[in-house]
Amino acid sequence: MKGRIASAHLLLTIAYNILKTGEPYDELGSNYLEEKQNNKELKMIEYLKKKGYTIAPSEQQTA
């Protein structure tokens, strides 16, 4: 039941925003979250460089 309510809420939110803005719905894509995370990391690196820090890439990936 909670899943149905959540899905209905999502659809109503999308419909409301379409009617409010008049813009068509645009699917973000399957890799949207990955790209957003990469952009966030790049912005943080640029911010730290502006503050005077030296950033070096690590060879170890974190989860």
Side-chain angles (χ1 to χ4, degrees):
M1 190 64 179
K2 285 185 179 183
R4 288 182 183 176
I5 299 295
S7 296
H9 181 265
L10 177 64
L11 289 173
L12 287 172
T13 304
I14 291 170
Y16 172 77
N17 286 320
I18 289 171
L19 293 172
K20 180 178 153 187
T21 62
E23 296 178 11
Y25 177 70
D26 185 25
E27 182 67 34
L28 297 175
S30 60
N31 59 350
Y32 171 75
L33 293 176
E34 182 180 320
E35 288 178 12
K36 186 175 178 180
Q37 180 66 27
N38 289 339
N39 289 339
K40 184 177 179 182
E41 290 172 0
L42 292 175
K43 286 180 183 179
M44 285 191 284
I45 290 170
E46 290 301 316
Y47 174 77
L48 290 172
K49 284 182 179 179
K50 286 180 185 177
K51 293 292 184 181
Y53 292 94
T54 303
I55 309 298
S58 67
E59 286 134 29
Q60 185 178 8
Q61 290 272 350
T62 57

